[in-house]
mmCIF file of all heavy atoms in Angstrom:
data_model
loop_
_atom_site.group_PDB
_atom_site.id
_atom_site.type_symbol
_atom_site.label_atom_id
_atom_site.label_comp_id
_atom_site.label_asym_id
_atom_site.label_seq_id
_atom_site.Cartn_x
_atom_site.Cartn_y
_atom_site.Cartn_z
ATOM 1 N N ALA A 74 10.217 8.571 -22.805
ATOM 2 C CA ALA A 74 11.192 7.886 -21.967
ATOM 3 C C ALA A 74 10.466 7.113 -20.880
ATOM 4 O O ALA A 74 9.377 7.499 -20.451
ATOM 5 C CB ALA A 74 12.161 8.884 -21.341
ATOM 6 N N GLY A 75 11.076 6.025 -20.462
ATOM 7 C CA GLY A 75 10.447 5.256 -19.393
ATOM 8 C C GLY A 75 11.080 3.888 -19.241
ATOM 9 O O GLY A 75 12.083 3.554 -19.887
ATOM 10 N N ARG A 76 10.452 3.108 -18.383
ATOM 11 C CA ARG A 76 10.976 1.787 -18.067
ATOM 12 C C ARG A 76 10.369 0.740 -19.000
ATOM 13 O O ARG A 76 9.160 0.729 -19.220
ATOM 14 C CB ARG A 76 10.633 1.430 -16.616
ATOM 15 C CG ARG A 76 11.277 0.126 -16.138
ATOM 16 C CD ARG A 76 10.859 -0.192 -14.732
ATOM 17 N NE ARG A 76 11.273 0.810 -13.770
ATOM 18 C CZ ARG A 76 12.471 0.843 -13.194
ATOM 19 N NH1 ARG A 76 13.371 -0.073 -13.458
ATOM 20 N NH2 ARG A 76 12.758 1.789 -12.322
ATOM 21 N N LEU A 77 11.218 -0.137 -19.522
ATOM 22 C CA LEU A 77 10.738 -1.201 -20.397
ATOM 23 C C LEU A 77 9.975 -2.233 -19.583
ATOM 24 O O LEU A 77 10.529 -2.834 -18.655
ATOM 25 C CB LEU A 77 11.932 -1.898 -21.042
ATOM 26 C CG LEU A 77 12.337 -1.418 -22.421
ATOM 27 C CD1 LEU A 77 13.675 -2.034 -22.791
ATOM 28 C CD2 LEU A 77 11.298 -1.800 -23.440
ATOM 29 N N VAL A 78 8.708 -2.424 -19.923
ATOM 30 C CA VAL A 78 7.905 -3.379 -19.155
ATOM 31 C C VAL A 78 7.379 -4.525 -20.012
ATOM 32 O O VAL A 78 6.887 -5.517 -19.483
ATOM 33 C CB VAL A 78 6.743 -2.671 -18.434
ATOM 34 C CG1 VAL A 78 7.273 -1.814 -17.287
ATOM 35 C CG2 VAL A 78 5.907 -1.844 -19.388
ATOM 36 N N VAL A 79 7.446 -4.379 -21.318
ATOM 37 C CA VAL A 79 7.031 -5.473 -22.207
ATOM 38 C C VAL A 79 8.029 -5.523 -23.361
ATOM 39 O O VAL A 79 8.397 -4.486 -23.899
ATOM 40 C CB VAL A 79 5.615 -5.229 -22.801
ATOM 41 C CG1 VAL A 79 5.275 -6.280 -23.848
ATOM 42 C CG2 VAL A 79 4.559 -5.198 -21.704
ATOM 43 N N ILE A 80 8.480 -6.727 -23.724
ATOM 44 C CA ILE A 80 9.312 -6.895 -24.921
ATOM 45 C C ILE A 80 8.732 -8.026 -25.758
ATOM 46 O O ILE A 80 8.549 -9.131 -25.245
ATOM 47 C CB ILE A 80 10.783 -7.235 -24.567
ATOM 48 C CG1 ILE A 80 11.434 -6.081 -23.800
ATOM 49 C CG2 ILE A 80 11.578 -7.545 -25.834
ATOM 50 C CD1 ILE A 80 12.864 -6.360 -23.357
ATOM 51 N N ARG A 81 8.405 -7.732 -26.993
ATOM 52 C CA ARG A 81 7.978 -8.796 -27.911
ATOM 53 C C ARG A 81 8.954 -8.786 -29.076
ATOM 54 O O ARG A 81 8.881 -7.951 -29.970
ATOM 55 C CB ARG A 81 6.541 -8.558 -28.403
ATOM 56 C CG ARG A 81 5.551 -8.555 -27.268
ATOM 57 C CD ARG A 81 4.107 -8.650 -27.720
ATOM 58 N NE ARG A 81 3.234 -8.400 -26.583
ATOM 59 C CZ ARG A 81 2.632 -7.234 -26.344
ATOM 60 N NH1 ARG A 81 2.753 -6.236 -27.191
ATOM 61 N NH2 ARG A 81 1.883 -7.083 -25.279
ATOM 62 N N ASP A 82 9.858 -9.721 -29.015
ATOM 63 C CA ASP A 82 10.977 -9.773 -29.959
ATOM 64 C C ASP A 82 10.598 -10.655 -31.139
ATOM 65 O O ASP A 82 10.256 -11.824 -30.966
ATOM 66 C CB ASP A 82 12.198 -10.346 -29.213
ATOM 67 C CG ASP A 82 13.433 -10.374 -30.099
ATOM 68 O OD1 ASP A 82 13.316 -10.052 -31.298
ATOM 69 O OD2 ASP A 82 14.514 -10.705 -29.587
ATOM 70 N N MET A 83 10.650 -10.083 -32.375
ATOM 71 C CA MET A 83 10.326 -10.887 -33.560
ATOM 72 C C MET A 83 11.517 -10.992 -34.486
ATOM 73 O O MET A 83 11.387 -10.913 -35.704
ATOM 74 C CB MET A 83 9.133 -10.260 -34.277
ATOM 75 C CG MET A 83 7.865 -10.435 -33.489
ATOM 76 S SD MET A 83 6.519 -9.481 -34.152
ATOM 77 C CE MET A 83 7.174 -7.857 -34.030
ATOM 78 N N GLY A 84 12.665 -11.137 -33.905
ATOM 79 C CA GLY A 84 13.863 -11.299 -34.722
ATOM 80 C C GLY A 84 14.429 -9.969 -35.167
ATOM 81 O O GLY A 84 15.207 -9.371 -34.445
ATOM 82 N N LYS A 85 13.989 -9.501 -36.318
ATOM 83 C CA LYS A 85 14.582 -8.270 -36.847
ATOM 84 C C LYS A 85 13.767 -7.030 -36.516
ATOM 85 O O LYS A 85 14.077 -5.931 -36.976
ATOM 86 C CB LYS A 85 14.775 -8.402 -38.355
ATOM 87 C CG LYS A 85 15.815 -9.467 -38.697
ATOM 88 C CD LYS A 85 16.066 -9.585 -40.188
ATOM 89 C CE LYS A 85 17.033 -10.717 -40.484
ATOM 90 N NZ LYS A 85 16.437 -12.056 -40.111
ATOM 91 N N SER A 86 12.692 -7.236 -35.742
ATOM 92 C CA SER A 86 11.961 -6.084 -35.214
ATOM 93 C C SER A 86 11.363 -6.480 -33.877
ATOM 94 O O SER A 86 11.195 -7.661 -33.585
ATOM 95 C CB SER A 86 10.866 -5.644 -36.186
ATOM 96 O OG SER A 86 9.772 -6.540 -36.130
ATOM 97 N N GLN A 87 11.057 -5.470 -33.090
ATOM 98 C CA GLN A 87 10.480 -5.750 -31.780
ATOM 99 C C GLN A 87 9.390 -4.740 -31.466
ATOM 100 O O GLN A 87 9.519 -3.562 -31.791
ATOM 101 C CB GLN A 87 11.541 -5.629 -30.669
ATOM 102 C CG GLN A 87 12.734 -6.511 -30.846
ATOM 103 C CD GLN A 87 13.635 -6.470 -29.612
ATOM 104 O OE1 GLN A 87 13.205 -6.140 -28.512
ATOM 105 N NE2 GLN A 87 14.894 -6.819 -29.811
ATOM 106 N N PHE A 88 8.336 -5.210 -30.824
ATOM 107 C CA PHE A 88 7.408 -4.306 -30.162
ATOM 108 C C PHE A 88 7.749 -4.327 -28.684
ATOM 109 O O PHE A 88 7.840 -5.399 -28.085
ATOM 110 C CB PHE A 88 5.960 -4.764 -30.349
ATOM 111 C CG PHE A 88 5.401 -4.406 -31.697
ATOM 112 C CD1 PHE A 88 5.360 -5.348 -32.718
ATOM 113 C CD2 PHE A 88 4.916 -3.131 -31.926
ATOM 114 C CE1 PHE A 88 4.846 -5.010 -33.955
ATOM 115 C CE2 PHE A 88 4.399 -2.795 -33.173
ATOM 116 C CZ PHE A 88 4.362 -3.735 -34.195
ATOM 117 N N VAL A 89 7.945 -3.153 -28.117
ATOM 118 C CA VAL A 89 8.208 -3.078 -26.673
ATOM 119 C C VAL A 89 7.293 -2.003 -26.093
ATOM 120 O O VAL A 89 6.711 -1.209 -26.832
ATOM 121 C CB VAL A 89 9.685 -2.729 -26.377
ATOM 122 C CG1 VAL A 89 10.606 -3.705 -27.056
ATOM 123 C CG2 VAL A 89 10.006 -1.297 -26.794
ATOM 124 N N LYS A 90 7.136 -2.041 -24.777
ATOM 125 C CA LYS A 90 6.366 -0.983 -24.136
ATOM 126 C C LYS A 90 7.173 -0.372 -23.012
ATOM 127 O O LYS A 90 7.880 -1.074 -22.299
ATOM 128 C CB LYS A 90 5.052 -1.539 -23.570
ATOM 129 C CG LYS A 90 4.014 -1.769 -24.647
ATOM 130 C CD LYS A 90 2.662 -2.148 -24.086
ATOM 131 C CE LYS A 90 1.671 -2.309 -25.235
ATOM 132 N NZ LYS A 90 0.344 -2.723 -24.762
ATOM 133 N N ILE A 91 7.051 0.948 -22.893
ATOM 134 C CA ILE A 91 7.682 1.619 -21.764
ATOM 135 C C ILE A 91 6.610 2.208 -20.869
ATOM 136 O O ILE A 91 5.496 2.499 -21.310
ATOM 137 C CB ILE A 91 8.669 2.728 -22.215
ATOM 138 C CG1 ILE A 91 7.956 3.787 -23.048
ATOM 139 C CG2 ILE A 91 9.847 2.122 -22.955
ATOM 140 C CD1 ILE A 91 8.819 5.006 -23.315
ATOM 141 N N LEU A 92 6.973 2.351 -19.608
ATOM 142 C CA LEU A 92 6.063 2.888 -18.591
ATOM 143 C C LEU A 92 6.627 4.202 -18.081
ATOM 144 O O LEU A 92 7.797 4.272 -17.692
ATOM 145 C CB LEU A 92 5.958 1.888 -17.438
ATOM 146 C CG LEU A 92 5.146 2.308 -16.217
ATOM 147 C CD1 LEU A 92 3.658 2.345 -16.555
ATOM 148 C CD2 LEU A 92 5.399 1.351 -15.063
ATOM 149 N N ASP A 93 5.797 5.246 -18.115
ATOM 150 C CA ASP A 93 6.198 6.501 -17.481
ATOM 151 C C ASP A 93 5.098 6.924 -16.515
ATOM 152 O O ASP A 93 4.187 6.158 -16.221
ATOM 153 C CB ASP A 93 6.524 7.583 -18.528
ATOM 154 C CG ASP A 93 5.300 8.020 -19.327
ATOM 155 O OD1 ASP A 93 4.161 7.787 -18.877
ATOM 156 O OD2 ASP A 93 5.484 8.615 -20.413
ATOM 157 N N GLN A 94 5.200 8.153 -16.045
ATOM 158 C CA GLN A 94 4.263 8.640 -15.026
ATOM 159 C C GLN A 94 2.801 8.477 -15.447
ATOM 160 O O GLN A 94 1.930 8.247 -14.631
ATOM 161 C CB GLN A 94 4.574 10.110 -14.759
ATOM 162 C CG GLN A 94 3.710 10.765 -13.730
ATOM 163 C CD GLN A 94 4.220 12.161 -13.409
ATOM 164 O OE1 GLN A 94 5.357 12.340 -13.035
ATOM 165 N NE2 GLN A 94 3.376 13.156 -13.566
ATOM 166 N N GLU A 95 2.541 8.636 -16.733
ATOM 167 C CA GLU A 95 1.146 8.632 -17.164
ATOM 168 C C GLU A 95 0.688 7.303 -17.744
ATOM 169 O O GLU A 95 -0.439 7.199 -18.210
ATOM 170 C CB GLU A 95 0.920 9.761 -18.175
ATOM 171 C CG GLU A 95 1.085 11.121 -17.521
ATOM 172 C CD GLU A 95 0.494 12.257 -18.330
ATOM 173 O OE1 GLU A 95 0.231 12.051 -19.532
ATOM 174 O OE2 GLU A 95 0.292 13.330 -17.759
ATOM 175 N N GLY A 96 1.548 6.305 -17.753
ATOM 176 C CA GLY A 96 1.113 5.000 -18.242
ATOM 177 C C GLY A 96 2.099 4.417 -19.236
ATOM 178 O O GLY A 96 3.287 4.737 -19.217
ATOM 179 N N GLN A 97 1.577 3.564 -20.118
ATOM 180 C CA GLN A 97 2.456 2.865 -21.052
ATOM 181 C C GLN A 97 2.269 3.372 -22.477
ATOM 182 O O GLN A 97 1.193 3.843 -22.842
ATOM 183 C CB GLN A 97 2.130 1.360 -21.042
ATOM 184 C CG GLN A 97 2.337 0.712 -19.688
ATOM 185 C CD GLN A 97 2.159 -0.792 -19.734
ATOM 186 O OE1 GLN A 97 1.845 -1.365 -20.778
ATOM 187 N NE2 GLN A 97 2.352 -1.436 -18.599
ATOM 188 N N ILE A 98 3.338 3.227 -23.250
ATOM 189 C CA ILE A 98 3.204 3.465 -24.684
ATOM 190 C C ILE A 98 4.066 2.438 -25.402
ATOM 191 O O ILE A 98 5.126 2.040 -24.911
ATOM 192 C CB ILE A 98 3.601 4.910 -25.079
ATOM 193 C CG1 ILE A 98 3.287 5.149 -26.560
ATOM 194 C CG2 ILE A 98 5.081 5.179 -24.784
ATOM 195 C CD1 ILE A 98 3.308 6.612 -26.942
ATOM 196 N N GLN A 99 3.562 2.001 -26.565
ATOM 197 C CA GLN A 99 4.279 0.976 -27.317
ATOM 198 C C GLN A 99 5.285 1.611 -28.271
ATOM 199 O O GLN A 99 5.026 2.660 -28.860
ATOM 200 C CB GLN A 99 3.269 0.138 -28.110
ATOM 201 C CG GLN A 99 3.911 -0.967 -28.916
ATOM 202 C CD GLN A 99 2.905 -1.975 -29.424
ATOM 203 O OE1 GLN A 99 2.683 -3.016 -28.822
ATOM 204 N NE2 GLN A 99 2.268 -1.657 -30.542
ATOM 205 N N LEU A 100 6.434 0.949 -28.374
ATOM 206 C CA LEU A 100 7.457 1.388 -29.317
ATOM 207 C C LEU A 100 7.686 0.260 -30.331
ATOM 208 O O LEU A 100 7.635 -0.910 -29.972
ATOM 209 C CB LEU A 100 8.791 1.672 -28.614
ATOM 210 C CG LEU A 100 8.784 2.507 -27.329
ATOM 211 C CD1 LEU A 100 10.216 2.655 -26.812
ATOM 212 C CD2 LEU A 100 8.159 3.868 -27.563
ATOM 213 N N TYR A 101 7.941 0.642 -31.574
ATOM 214 C CA TYR A 101 8.277 -0.350 -32.586
ATOM 215 C C TYR A 101 9.722 -0.102 -33.001
ATOM 216 O O TYR A 101 10.052 0.974 -33.508
ATOM 217 C CB TYR A 101 7.321 -0.202 -33.784
ATOM 218 C CG TYR A 101 7.514 -1.251 -34.850
ATOM 219 C CD1 TYR A 101 7.618 -2.601 -34.526
ATOM 220 C CD2 TYR A 101 7.571 -0.890 -36.197
ATOM 221 C CE1 TYR A 101 7.781 -3.562 -35.501
ATOM 222 C CE2 TYR A 101 7.731 -1.850 -37.191
ATOM 223 C CZ TYR A 101 7.832 -3.181 -36.832
ATOM 224 O OH TYR A 101 7.991 -4.140 -37.806
ATOM 225 N N VAL A 102 10.549 -1.077 -32.720
ATOM 226 C CA VAL A 102 11.976 -0.936 -33.006
ATOM 227 C C VAL A 102 12.317 -1.883 -34.152
ATOM 228 O O VAL A 102 12.146 -3.101 -34.044
ATOM 229 C CB VAL A 102 12.827 -1.309 -31.767
ATOM 230 C CG1 VAL A 102 14.302 -1.074 -32.053
ATOM 231 C CG2 VAL A 102 12.382 -0.496 -30.558
ATOM 232 N N LYS A 103 12.786 -1.305 -35.256
ATOM 233 C CA LYS A 103 12.988 -2.080 -36.476
ATOM 234 C C LYS A 103 14.444 -1.983 -36.903
ATOM 235 O O LYS A 103 15.019 -0.887 -36.934
ATOM 236 C CB LYS A 103 12.100 -1.440 -37.563
ATOM 237 C CG LYS A 103 11.426 -2.409 -38.481
ATOM 238 C CD LYS A 103 10.460 -1.641 -39.361
ATOM 239 C CE LYS A 103 10.215 -2.398 -40.650
ATOM 240 N NZ LYS A 103 9.404 -1.613 -41.589
ATOM 241 N N LYS A 104 14.994 -3.145 -37.218
ATOM 242 C CA LYS A 104 16.419 -3.190 -37.542
ATOM 243 C C LYS A 104 16.781 -2.246 -38.690
ATOM 244 O O LYS A 104 17.729 -1.480 -38.590
ATOM 245 C CB LYS A 104 16.792 -4.625 -37.916
ATOM 246 C CG LYS A 104 18.277 -4.832 -38.112
ATOM 247 C CD LYS A 104 18.573 -6.297 -38.368
ATOM 248 C CE LYS A 104 20.079 -6.514 -38.547
ATOM 249 N NZ LYS A 104 20.377 -7.941 -38.765
ATOM 250 N N ASP A 105 16.007 -2.275 -39.781
ATOM 251 C CA ASP A 105 16.425 -1.464 -40.934
ATOM 252 C C ASP A 105 16.068 0.017 -40.771
ATOM 253 O O ASP A 105 16.373 0.823 -41.631
ATOM 254 C CB ASP A 105 15.885 -2.041 -42.257
ATOM 255 C CG ASP A 105 14.404 -2.271 -42.238
ATOM 256 O OD1 ASP A 105 13.732 -1.640 -41.385
ATOM 257 O OD2 ASP A 105 13.903 -3.083 -43.033
ATOM 258 N N VAL A 106 15.421 0.371 -39.650
ATOM 259 C CA VAL A 106 15.208 1.791 -39.365
ATOM 260 C C VAL A 106 16.339 2.332 -38.499
ATOM 261 O O VAL A 106 16.902 3.392 -38.774
ATOM 262 C CB VAL A 106 13.850 2.032 -38.663
ATOM 263 C CG1 VAL A 106 13.720 3.489 -38.218
ATOM 264 C CG2 VAL A 106 12.710 1.666 -39.610
ATOM 265 N N ILE A 107 16.686 1.598 -37.439
ATOM 266 C CA ILE A 107 17.696 2.149 -36.526
ATOM 267 C C ILE A 107 19.118 1.714 -36.869
ATOM 268 O O ILE A 107 20.071 2.266 -36.328
ATOM 269 C CB ILE A 107 17.389 1.802 -35.054
ATOM 270 C CG1 ILE A 107 17.491 0.300 -34.785
ATOM 271 C CG2 ILE A 107 16.026 2.321 -34.645
ATOM 272 C CD1 ILE A 107 17.457 -0.032 -33.298
ATOM 273 N N GLY A 108 19.253 0.709 -37.740
ATOM 274 C CA GLY A 108 20.600 0.299 -38.143
ATOM 275 C C GLY A 108 21.059 -0.956 -37.417
ATOM 276 O O GLY A 108 20.556 -1.277 -36.344
ATOM 277 N N ASP A 109 21.991 -1.655 -38.042
ATOM 278 C CA ASP A 109 22.426 -2.963 -37.533
ATOM 279 C C ASP A 109 23.014 -2.905 -36.138
ATOM 280 O O ASP A 109 22.643 -3.672 -35.259
ATOM 281 C CB ASP A 109 23.461 -3.578 -38.489
ATOM 282 C CG ASP A 109 22.815 -4.015 -39.798
ATOM 283 O OD1 ASP A 109 21.575 -3.847 -39.903
ATOM 284 O OD2 ASP A 109 23.531 -4.502 -40.688
ATOM 285 N N GLU A 110 23.949 -1.975 -35.931
ATOM 286 C CA GLU A 110 24.650 -1.952 -34.651
ATOM 287 C C GLU A 110 23.738 -1.544 -33.486
ATOM 288 O O GLU A 110 23.703 -2.234 -32.468
ATOM 289 C CB GLU A 110 25.872 -1.023 -34.722
ATOM 290 C CG GLU A 110 27.168 -1.773 -34.500
ATOM 291 C CD GLU A 110 28.366 -0.853 -34.609
ATOM 292 O OE1 GLU A 110 28.589 -0.111 -33.624
ATOM 293 O OE2 GLU A 110 29.029 -0.868 -35.666
ATOM 294 N N PRO A 111 22.997 -0.438 -33.649
ATOM 295 C CA PRO A 111 22.072 -0.081 -32.567
ATOM 296 C C PRO A 111 21.049 -1.192 -32.304
ATOM 297 O O PRO A 111 20.660 -1.418 -31.157
ATOM 298 C CB PRO A 111 21.372 1.183 -33.101
ATOM 299 C CG PRO A 111 22.322 1.760 -34.077
ATOM 300 C CD PRO A 111 23.015 0.574 -34.716
ATOM 301 N N TYR A 112 20.656 -1.896 -33.366
ATOM 302 C CA TYR A 112 19.671 -2.951 -33.168
ATOM 303 C C TYR A 112 20.259 -4.113 -32.369
ATOM 304 O O TYR A 112 19.621 -4.659 -31.472
ATOM 305 C CB TYR A 112 19.120 -3.456 -34.508
ATOM 306 C CG TYR A 112 17.906 -4.346 -34.311
ATOM 307 C CD1 TYR A 112 16.664 -3.788 -34.046
ATOM 308 C CD2 TYR A 112 18.023 -5.736 -34.348
ATOM 309 C CE1 TYR A 112 15.558 -4.582 -33.815
ATOM 310 C CE2 TYR A 112 16.917 -6.535 -34.117
ATOM 311 C CZ TYR A 112 15.688 -5.960 -33.860
ATOM 312 O OH TYR A 112 14.605 -6.747 -33.619
ATOM 313 N N ALA A 113 21.503 -4.448 -32.690
ATOM 314 C CA ALA A 113 22.170 -5.525 -31.944
ATOM 315 C C ALA A 113 22.275 -5.149 -30.476
ATOM 316 O O ALA A 113 22.066 -5.977 -29.586
ATOM 317 C CB ALA A 113 23.551 -5.793 -32.539
ATOM 318 N N ALA A 114 22.559 -3.872 -30.214
ATOM 319 C CA ALA A 114 22.665 -3.407 -28.830
ATOM 320 C C ALA A 114 21.296 -3.440 -28.159
ATOM 321 O O ALA A 114 21.156 -3.789 -26.981
ATOM 322 C CB ALA A 114 23.242 -1.999 -28.786
ATOM 323 N N PHE A 115 20.264 -3.075 -28.938
ATOM 324 C CA PHE A 115 18.907 -3.057 -28.369
ATOM 325 C C PHE A 115 18.489 -4.450 -27.927
ATOM 326 O O PHE A 115 17.777 -4.618 -26.949
ATOM 327 C CB PHE A 115 17.906 -2.502 -29.390
ATOM 328 C CG PHE A 115 16.582 -2.152 -28.782
ATOM 329 C CD1 PHE A 115 16.383 -0.915 -28.182
ATOM 330 C CD2 PHE A 115 15.541 -3.069 -28.784
ATOM 331 C CE1 PHE A 115 15.161 -0.593 -27.591
ATOM 332 C CE2 PHE A 115 14.321 -2.759 -28.197
ATOM 333 C CZ PHE A 115 14.135 -1.519 -27.598
ATOM 334 N N LYS A 116 18.937 -5.453 -28.660
ATOM 335 C CA LYS A 116 18.574 -6.834 -28.311
ATOM 336 C C LYS A 116 19.097 -7.237 -26.938
ATOM 337 O O LYS A 116 18.598 -8.188 -26.336
ATOM 338 C CB LYS A 116 19.121 -7.793 -29.367
ATOM 339 C CG LYS A 116 18.318 -7.775 -30.650
ATOM 340 C CD LYS A 116 18.285 -9.161 -31.268
ATOM 341 C CE LYS A 116 16.976 -9.381 -32.000
ATOM 342 N NZ LYS A 116 16.624 -10.767 -32.176
ATOM 343 N N LYS A 117 20.113 -6.524 -26.476
ATOM 344 C CA LYS A 117 20.678 -6.875 -25.166
ATOM 345 C C LYS A 117 19.992 -6.148 -24.016
ATOM 346 O O LYS A 117 20.293 -6.391 -22.856
ATOM 347 C CB LYS A 117 22.180 -6.553 -25.155
ATOM 348 C CG LYS A 117 22.953 -7.474 -26.074
ATOM 349 C CD LYS A 117 24.445 -7.309 -25.912
ATOM 350 C CE LYS A 117 25.173 -8.317 -26.794
ATOM 351 N NZ LYS A 117 26.609 -8.042 -26.848
ATOM 352 N N ILE A 118 19.090 -5.258 -24.369
ATOM 353 C CA ILE A 118 18.387 -4.503 -23.324
ATOM 354 C C ILE A 118 17.403 -5.437 -22.618
ATOM 355 O O ILE A 118 16.777 -6.299 -23.237
ATOM 356 C CB ILE A 118 17.695 -3.277 -23.946
ATOM 357 C CG1 ILE A 118 18.763 -2.257 -24.313
ATOM 358 C CG2 ILE A 118 16.675 -2.687 -23.001
ATOM 359 C CD1 ILE A 118 18.222 -0.997 -24.930
ATOM 360 N N ASP A 119 17.294 -5.269 -21.307
ATOM 361 C CA ASP A 119 16.459 -6.160 -20.507
ATOM 362 C C ASP A 119 15.166 -5.477 -20.060
ATOM 363 O O ASP A 119 15.105 -4.249 -19.964
ATOM 364 C CB ASP A 119 17.220 -6.588 -19.250
ATOM 365 C CG ASP A 119 18.396 -7.479 -19.575
ATOM 366 O OD1 ASP A 119 18.172 -8.534 -20.198
ATOM 367 O OD2 ASP A 119 19.543 -7.116 -19.228
ATOM 368 N N LEU A 120 14.181 -6.306 -19.730
ATOM 369 C CA LEU A 120 12.969 -5.813 -19.081
ATOM 370 C C LEU A 120 13.378 -5.088 -17.803
ATOM 371 O O LEU A 120 14.178 -5.610 -17.027
ATOM 372 C CB LEU A 120 12.057 -6.982 -18.714
ATOM 373 C CG LEU A 120 11.111 -7.496 -19.784
ATOM 374 C CD1 LEU A 120 10.337 -8.689 -19.239
ATOM 375 C CD2 LEU A 120 10.154 -6.410 -20.240
ATOM 376 N N GLY A 121 12.849 -3.906 -17.616
ATOM 377 C CA GLY A 121 13.174 -3.152 -16.417
ATOM 378 C C GLY A 121 14.164 -2.037 -16.677
ATOM 379 O O GLY A 121 14.263 -1.099 -15.889
ATOM 380 N N ASP A 122 14.902 -2.125 -17.791
ATOM 381 C CA ASP A 122 15.839 -1.051 -18.130
ATOM 382 C C ASP A 122 15.057 0.221 -18.478
ATOM 383 O O ASP A 122 13.909 0.156 -18.915
ATOM 384 C CB ASP A 122 16.700 -1.452 -19.333
ATOM 385 C CG ASP A 122 17.724 -2.532 -18.990
ATOM 386 O OD1 ASP A 122 17.785 -2.914 -17.799
ATOM 387 O OD2 ASP A 122 18.431 -2.992 -19.895
ATOM 388 N N ILE A 123 15.715 1.354 -18.297
ATOM 389 C CA ILE A 123 15.058 2.622 -18.607
ATOM 390 C C ILE A 123 15.695 3.205 -19.862
ATOM 391 O O ILE A 123 16.924 3.306 -19.958
ATOM 392 C CB ILE A 123 15.178 3.601 -17.425
ATOM 393 C CG1 ILE A 123 14.477 2.988 -16.204
ATOM 394 C CG2 ILE A 123 14.566 4.951 -17.781
ATOM 395 C CD1 ILE A 123 14.624 3.799 -14.939
ATOM 396 N N ILE A 124 14.831 3.549 -20.821
ATOM 397 C CA ILE A 124 15.348 4.062 -22.090
ATOM 398 C C ILE A 124 14.613 5.343 -22.489
ATOM 399 O O ILE A 124 13.530 5.633 -21.992
ATOM 400 C CB ILE A 124 15.180 3.027 -23.243
ATOM 401 C CG1 ILE A 124 13.704 2.771 -23.537
ATOM 402 C CG2 ILE A 124 15.895 1.724 -22.918
ATOM 403 C CD1 ILE A 124 13.463 2.000 -24.826
ATOM 404 N N GLY A 125 15.264 6.092 -23.358
ATOM 405 C CA GLY A 125 14.612 7.201 -24.026
ATOM 406 C C GLY A 125 14.530 6.842 -25.501
ATOM 407 O O GLY A 125 15.411 6.152 -26.012
#
Side-chain angles (χ1 to χ4, degrees):
Chain A
R76 186 182 298 275
L77 265 170
V78 289
V79 173
I80 296 177
R81 299 194 190 100
D82 183 355
M83 289 170 300
K85 294 182 184 65
S86 75
Q87 303 188 23
F88 281 99
V89 305
K90 283 187 178 178
I91 59 170
L92 175 71
D93 66 19
Q94 180 172 304
E95 294 197 344
Q97 299 186 358
I98 187 165
Q99 181 166 264
L100 313 180
Y101 184 47
V102 184
K103 219 173 155 186
K104 187 175 181 179
D105 53 21
V106 173
I107 66 169
D109 289 359
E110 243 178 77
Y112 191 78
F115 194 85
K116 284 215 148 202
K117 292 189 176 170
I118 288 180
D119 292 302
L120 275 178
D122 289 357
I123 299 175
I124 65 168

